Amino acid sequence: MTTEAVLVIDDFLLRALLGGIGVALVAGPFGAFVVWRRLAYFGDTLAHSALLGVALGFLLHINLTLGVIIVCQLLALLLFFSQRQRQLASDTMLGIFSHGALSLGLVTLAFMPDVRIDLMAYLFGDILAIGNSDLLWIYLGGGGALAGLLWLWQPLLAITIHEDLARVEGVPVTRINGLFLALIALTVAVMMKVVGLLLVTSLLIIPAATARRFARNPEMMALLACLFGCAAVGGGLYGSFQWDTPTGPSIVVAACTFFALSFLVPIKR
Amino acid sequence: MRVALELVRPSSGTLYRRPQLTIGYMPQRLQLDPTFPLSVKRFLCFARKGCDTATLRTALKETGAEHVIDAAMQHLSGGELQRVLLSRALLRQPDLLVLDEPVQGVDVHGQVELYHLISNIRDERNCGVLMVSHDLHLVMAATDRVLCLNRHICCSGTPAVVTSDPEYLKMYGHLALYQHDRNHHHDHGGCSCD
């Protein structure tokens, strides 16, 4: 192998690592809330709308990540208002939106014969194809989402503990919940590139669930979730190179391995 | 009660609340997800801004739960949890204490203690107490004003008035009730609904 080839490989590996770590850092604190508030299915629903965002991006000739962000935000808004109806249970509602959005995305793309996309890359992620603009999206979009979450941190925790109690004590619950949904939609959209729309939720919940056993307070759980997320990205990338396996799923397998191994660590109570 | 807390809009009638009324609310139950790591200390901190350990300790002492200050919320017993919830309500220095079935999940002995505690708190702090309870004995024994609710207000007034109301008798007449002699210290503020 020539020196140049080695450099090229190093370059895209480095970008993959940077992108993956960026996503893991954002996913940690958000994942903690997803676990505490049982929003896993909710995250899935947002992620499944990504293909529709890609189609929108092609239609409007705008950046595809921006298209995904727009559609995720619209869906979050729709979900926010649909939560107020009491006709259908929320998991039924989410199921309809989730599979509806995914199928609508696939059908819409089929109507656009000029558009050839690598479907697998969207479904399972293509971290090795991360470019500089993707990195920018991850760090600016993800950083923005994280800053927003830090700003809402205390009231969000209060709502997570008991919504009515928070309301009585003066927390603007509806506004905070709405903002939180917008932030999580942004997070899911920027995470898409790394693990793909089918696996996004896993990178939210598995590191956070792994962190639970070792955390004594909410902040510690969020930070540990970041740490386990980064470890999963590192392990997944390494494994993917070592055994030539698909990278997105390898990261998730690494995350699951850490989760399983965490039970071997004794915890004194 | 949810109307009084401004959690739901009244479907009819109007709600008047004194401006700047501070409410200490004790919800019926607290279901924390087991994945949420939260100590009692941290839980109490949400009651108001800038509270130090000494304040929290005092609040817990008042309800007799000082020993759980460093425990995890999920490890509390039913009675301990109710005391911690009550401490959080008290930390707000409330003018009105709103209690929703405050003895739920507590054994009989603990129930008596808790009711005693609530009545002491009212006497010491001179705050109003709005309480929802299905415990007829307690309602009739320790309250000033009873609102008897069954989709509508059946009857209201002092316990003596309520227990002789025909609507009340129709509903609970078959229960032989012990009527408490009210000639002691419960004589200001507070009402209770069933």
Side-chain angles (χ1 to χ4, degrees):
Chain A
M1 199 183 283
T2 64
T3 326
E4 204 169 76
V6 172
L7 277 179
V8 169
I9 287 175
D10 278 346
D11 202 33
F12 81 80
L13 241 187
L14 185 69
R15 274 201 298 264
L17 196 62
L18 278 177
I21 284 174
V23 160
L25 291 178
V26 184
F30 276 100
F33 272 105
V34 168
V35 169
W36 297 331
R37 302 185 72 173
R38 307 187 176 193
L39 294 174
Y41 207 16
F42 187 87
D44 261 348
T45 305
L46 287 174
H48 285 179
S49 70
L51 279 181
L52 211 51
V54 172
L56 183 82
F58 280 118
L59 269 174
L60 300 180
H61 301 288
I62 53 171
N63 181 289
L64 297 185
T65 309
L66 188 63
V68 174
I69 291 177
I70 292 172
V71 168
C72 277
Q73 291 294 338
L74 289 176
L75 189 64
L77 206 64
L78 200 62
L79 289 169
F80 179 66
F81 285 108
S82 69
Q83 275 175 348
R84 290 161 178 226
Q85 61 83 34
R86 291 273 169 269
Q87 293 264 309
L88 290 171
S90 67
D91 61 335
T92 308
M93 206 66 212
L94 286 174
I96 293 170
F97 279 122
S98 170
H99 301 290
L102 180 59
S103 306
L104 194 61
L106 286 164
V107 169
T108 311
L109 283 171
F111 271 114
M112 303 165 78
D114 306 337
V115 174
R116 285 263 160 269
I117 62 161
D118 178 8
L119 199 55
M120 288 300 274
Y122 283 101
L123 292 180
F124 299 105
D126 196 4
I127 190 173
L128 297 180
I130 280 185
N132 287 332
S133 77
D134 294 314
L135 277 182
L136 203 65
W137 276 110
I138 290 173
Y139 279 85
L140 283 184
L146 214 48
L149 187 68
L150 277 177
W151 178 53
L152 298 179
W153 191 260
Q154 284 297 330
L156 260 178
L157 284 181
I159 295 171
T160 306
I161 293 168
H162 196 287
E163 202 169 296
D164 283 346
L165 189 55
R167 218 184 274 269
V168 170
E169 292 179 353
V171 176
V173 172
T174 313
R175 198 180 339 145
I176 302 269
N177 274 342
L179 285 172
F180 176 65
L181 292 191
L183 290 177
I184 208 161
L186 178 62
T187 307
V188 165
V190 298
M191 286 173 69
M192 206 72 65
K193 192 80 182 176
V194 171
V195 277
L197 62 90
L198 290 182
L199 297 176
V200 160
T201 318
S202 61
L203 209 53
L204 283 171
I205 60 173
I206 302 171
T210 313
R212 172 59 187 110
R213 288 191 74 227
F214 309 101
R216 293 174 151 270
N217 57 53
E219 290 73 25
M220 194 172 163
M221 180 154 153
L223 287 176
L224 283 175
C226 292
L227 203 72
F228 283 120
C230 289
V233 166
L237 271 176
Y238 174 80
S240 162
F241 263 79
Q242 196 71 8
W243 296 292
D244 193 24
T245 50
T247 319
S250 303
I251 291 173
V252 177
V253 168
C256 288
T257 310
F258 285 124
F259 176 71
L261 288 177
S262 76
F263 286 96
L264 299 178
V265 181
I267 301 283
K268 62 168 193 282
R269 288 269 177 210
Chain B
M1 192 180 75
R2 291 176 64 78
V3 171
L5 291 171
E6 291 184 337
L7 291 172
V8 288
R9 280 174 206 282
S11 51
S12 65
T14 50
L15 169 73
Y16 174 75
R17 237 163 77 166
R18 203 184 75 202
Q20 263 91 51
L21 179 80
T22 309
I23 289 184
Y25 170 49
M26 180 176 169
Q28 187 171 14
R29 61 170 69 90
L30 184 81
Q31 279 182 319
L32 272 186
D33 196 276
T35 58
F36 193 44
L38 191 72
S39 68
V40 169
K41 204 193 236 170
R42 187 69 193 277
F43 172 78
L44 292 176
C45 273
F46 285 97
R48 64 172 184 209
K49 286 195 175 75
C51 50
D52 50 291
T53 311
T55 320
L56 301 183
R57 210 174 274 282
T58 319
L60 282 173
K61 210 174 203 163
E62 195 170 349
T63 61
E66 202 190 349
H67 59 287
V68 298
I69 189 159
D70 290 315
M73 285 297 286
Q74 284 93 345
H75 292 167
L76 300 180
S77 72
E80 285 166 346
L81 181 62
Q82 298 307 96
R83 281 160 198 269
V84 169
L85 286 174
L86 188 58
S87 298
R88 174 156 167 184
L90 290 178
L91 272 169
R92 311 228 341 129
Q93 309 285 10
D95 307 311
L96 177 66
L97 208 49
V98 179
L99 312 172
D100 192 354
E101 299 271 0
V103 299
Q104 215 188 38
V106 181
D107 61 73
V108 182
H109 182 65
Q111 289 190 2
V112 176
E113 273 184 9
L114 260 175
Y115 281 135
H116 197 67
L117 184 63
I118 292 165
S119 125
N120 280 346
I121 286 167
R122 192 193 67 165
D123 292 340
E124 275 164 29
R125 297 194 169 222
N126 206 13
C127 60
V129 177
L130 174 69
M131 179 161 75
V132 174
S133 172
H134 284 98
D135 186 340
L136 289 177
H137 287 283
L138 162 93
V139 168
M140 295 310 164
T143 60
D144 304 304
R145 203 163 158 235
V146 180
L147 279 176
C148 181
L149 301 176
N150 183 16
R151 291 167 188 271
H152 66 288
I153 298 177
C154 297
C155 48
S156 72
T158 60
V161 170
V162 168
T163 39
S164 54
D165 191 286
E167 284 257 23
Y168 176 85
L169 288 173
K170 210 163 73 190
M171 219 172 3
Y172 292 115
H174 57 284
L175 294 170
L177 261 184
Y178 157 68
Q179 176 78 57
H180 189 75
D181 174 24
R182 293 187 66 254
N183 289 330
H184 63 282
H185 58 275
H186 309 291
D187 45 10
H188 44 98
C191 74
S192 161
C193 342
D194 181 28

